[in-house]
């Protein structure tokens, strides 16, 4: 789809500007990817500030996160690439981690409505299950922190089925505990910021 989009755009540009000089398609794609990565890294740094989060268009960001996490499940090459830490398919996890770290300063109810609307909880779990072996340690920590922040909200505590309705996803989450969570957070002290995640998984074990 991206190849077709770039090719069609290039053809249209050449038709509009017949005398202009254009880079070839591979060069354009490379420059576009670098631009996207730089913008993504800048956004990740900006979201470390609660003031940035408070002035951000969160509905648009959460829509983007939902679409990107869905896209990544069918495009494994994006996460397995050597530069994946700078790609949106991984950076979206960083965005969620920053957002839920500062959730008490944001409109929690509205954010959780958008999380539910875009199915972000289940998509994040499925991405973690599918790609955790390719994640860096920092991305693994951010994944756990994002899930813990989500599970710690009043909306999730009140009606968790609104965010994880699929029994299979619940089983995947329990399996994730053994797959990477215990290795990433081997002791109680290291689980301090992610306790809501471990607590929810513990309760799920008795339900399934």
């Amino acid at each position: 789809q991206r190849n077709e989009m770039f090719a069609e755009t290039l053809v249209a540009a050449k038709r509009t500007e017949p005398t202009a000089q254009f880079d070839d398609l591979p060069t354009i794609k490379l420059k576009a990817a670098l631009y996207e990565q730089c913008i993504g890294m800048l956004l990740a740094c900006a979201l470390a500030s609660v003031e940035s989060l408070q002035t951000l268009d969160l509905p648009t960001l959460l829509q983007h996160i939902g679409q990107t996490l869905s896209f990544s499940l069918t495009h494994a090459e994006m996460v397995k690439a050597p530069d994946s830490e700078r790609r949106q398919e991984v950076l979206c996890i960083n965005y969620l981690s920053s957002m839920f770290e500062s959730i008490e300063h944001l409109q929690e109810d509205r954010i959780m409505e958008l999380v539910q609307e875009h199915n972000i909880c289940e998509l994040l779990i499925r991405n973690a299950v599918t790609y955790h072996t390719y994640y860096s340690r920092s991305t693994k920590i951010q994944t756990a922190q994002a899930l813990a922040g989500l599970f710690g909200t009043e909306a999730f505590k009140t009606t968790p089925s609104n965010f994880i309705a699929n029994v299979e996803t619940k089983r995947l989450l329990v399996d994730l505990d053994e797959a990477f969570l215990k290795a990433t957070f081997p002791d109680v002290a290291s689980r301090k910021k992610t306790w809501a995640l471990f607590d929810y998984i513990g309760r799920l074990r008795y339900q399934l």
Side-chain angles (χ1 to χ4, degrees), residues 2-174:
R2 288 190 174 189
N3 286 338
E4 292 177 3
M5 179 186 69
F6 279 119
E8 291 172 0
T9 302
L10 181 58
V11 169
K14 287 181 176 179
R15 190 182 301 118
T16 304
E17 302 275 351
T19 60
Q21 296 293 319
F22 294 93
D23 290 327
D24 58 20
L25 188 58
T27 302
I28 292 173
K29 288 172 63 179
L30 177 61
K31 288 181 177 179
L34 289 173
Y35 176 78
E36 179 182 302
Q37 290 178 12
C38 290
I39 292 296
M41 294 297 292
L42 285 171
L43 180 58
C45 291
L47 295 187
S49 166
V50 66
E51 290 81 6
S52 296
L53 285 164
Q54 289 172 332
T55 57
L56 194 66
D57 184 351
L58 289 176
T60 298
L61 177 62
L62 286 163
Q63 179 183 27
H64 166 69
I65 290 172
Q67 291 173 340
T68 303
L69 291 177
S70 179
F71 174 85
S72 67
L73 289 173
T74 55
H75 294 78
E77 71 278 4
M78 307 302 285
V79 181
K80 296 178 181 180
D83 61 350
S84 63
E85 293 293 303
R86 298 191 299 275
R87 292 176 182 262
Q88 287 300 300
E89 290 73 18
V90 173
L91 280 173
C92 278
I93 297 172
N94 177 293
Y95 304 159
L96 285 171
S97 177
S98 295
M99 188 181 303
F100 281 102
E101 186 176 2
S102 300
I103 192 70
E104 69 273 13
H105 302 294
L106 306 173
Q107 294 180 320
E108 179 181 313
D109 291 345
R110 178 57 178 150
I111 287 173
M112 293 305 290
E113 287 176 2
L114 293 164
V115 166
Q116 179 182 353
E117 177 183 341
H118 299 297
N119 198 30
I120 287 173
C121 185
E122 292 208 16
L123 288 170
L124 180 56
I125 292 169
R126 289 181 177 275
N127 270 266
V129 169
T130 305
Y131 299 124
H132 68 87
T133 55
Y134 300 97
Y135 288 166
S136 67
R137 176 172 172 78
S138 62
T139 299
K140 289 180 180 180
I141 292 172
Q142 289 167 355
T143 302
Q145 289 176 341
L147 286 169
L150 197 157
F151 295 164
T153 61
E154 286 302 318
F156 186 88
K157 291 177 181 178
T158 303
T159 51
S161 59
N162 286 349
F163 304 94
I164 309 179
N166 193 312
V167 175
E168 180 191 355
T169 305
K170 294 178 181 179
R171 291 197 177 99
L172 291 173
L173 182 58
V174 171

